[in-house]
């Protein structure tokens, strides 16, 4: 019975990673380049229910990186993309709207990196290095397609942001 229920609800792709590691960019690229039925506007925790009627839903929430392992392993309909960025770039990165605040320190980056490393070999968990995404967006997109063949491609990462509609909170 539980198996029939899990098959009837939509798949979700959830993006995680330390703050300032490219989670917003990855979410926008996924939304731009693949056929998702819906998405959260900017961030939504994994534990928030998917709206009714969605077949493949896209969400992201950086803090989920360190708190989703048990739920991830129990949910066969959940797929995760974890962003990993050089810690020097993460800790020195400031948000454009809050230029007086550093969002992450080395301790947080290490905690998130350890959580990512713990799951990185799981077939429903894909680790993307931010530096690889910037250097070779279409190569990273190819990796996404190979790991998650259920994704229906409708655009190329390298064409972003041409024609993209980015929510205000994500921009």
């Amino acid at each position: 019975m539980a198996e029939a229920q899990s098959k009837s609800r939509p798949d979700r792709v959830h993006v995680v990673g330390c703050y300032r590691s490219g989670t917003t960019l990855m979410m926008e690229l996924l939304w731009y380049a693949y056929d998702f039925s819906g998405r959260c506007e900017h961030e939504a925790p994994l534990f928030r229910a998917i709206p009714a009627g969605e077949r493949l839903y896209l969400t992201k929430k950086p803090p989920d990186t360190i708190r989703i392992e048990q739920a991830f392993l129990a949910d066969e309909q959940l797929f995760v993309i974890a962003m990993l960025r050089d810690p020097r770039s993460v800790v020195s990165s400031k948000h454009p709207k809050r230029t007086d605040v550093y969002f992450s320190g080395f301790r947080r980056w290490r905690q998130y990196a350890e959580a990512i490393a713990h799951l990185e070999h799981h077939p429903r968990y894909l680790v993307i290095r931010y530096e690889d995404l910037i250097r070779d967006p279409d190569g990273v997109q190819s990796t996404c397609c190979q790991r998650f063949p259920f994704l229906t491609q409708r655009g190329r990462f390298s064409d972003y942001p041409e024609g993209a509609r980015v929510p205000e909170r994500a921009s």
Side-chain angles (χ1 to χ4, degrees):
M1 181 73 137
E3 184 178 321
Q5 287 177 338
S6 71
K7 296 288 185 204
S8 66
R9 72 173 188 73
D11 290 350
R12 178 195 305 235
V13 174
H14 191 64
V15 180
V16 298
C18 193
Y19 295 105
R20 312 305 297 152
S21 65
T23 59
T24 299
L25 176 60
M26 177 52 73
M27 183 170 168
E28 294 308 317
L29 288 169
L30 290 167
W31 179 250
Y32 175 80
Y34 294 103
D35 186 27
F36 286 91
S37 62
R39 64 173 282 171
C40 65
E41 182 181 338
H42 180 56
E43 289 187 2
L46 174 65
F47 306 105
R48 183 175 297 156
I50 297 171
E54 299 292 354
R55 61 174 167 67
L56 182 58
Y57 201 69
L58 179 62
T59 55
K60 87 161 182 106
K61 185 76 172 178
D64 283 352
T65 307
I66 58 173
R67 57 182 176 220
I68 67 165
E69 181 177 0
Q70 190 173 11
F72 169 72
L73 294 173
D75 185 353
E76 294 181 8
Q77 299 299 105
L78 172 62
F79 295 80
V80 172
I81 294 179
M83 296 300 296
L84 195 58
R85 187 176 183 185
D86 184 305
R88 296 166 296 185
S89 296
V90 170
V91 301
S92 64
S93 179
K94 293 183 176 183
H95 195 284
K97 291 186 178 180
R98 298 194 52 203
T99 58
D100 59 328
V101 175
Y102 288 106
F103 277 70
S104 295
F106 281 114
R107 183 178 301 157
R108 178 181 282 166
W109 179 90
R110 188 174 332 132
Q111 182 183 24
Y112 281 51
E114 288 171 1
I116 289 169
H118 191 71
L119 292 170
E120 73 179 320
H121 298 293
H122 193 285
R124 290 183 288 110
Y125 196 92
L126 175 60
V127 178
I128 304 281
R129 292 201 56 84
Y130 176 83
E131 294 80 6
D132 294 340
L133 178 61
I134 298 306
R135 181 181 39 75
D136 184 14
D138 292 333
V140 167
Q141 184 174 16
S142 177
T143 300
C144 291
C145 291
Q146 289 169 9
R147 180 64 72 87
F148 300 154
F150 60 85
L151 291 174
T152 302
Q153 188 173 335
R154 65 178 183 197
R156 294 177 1 166
F157 281 6
S158 61
D159 291 336
Y160 180 86
E162 186 176 316
R165 284 179 253 124
V166 180
E168 185 178 331
R169 291 187 62 206
S171 65

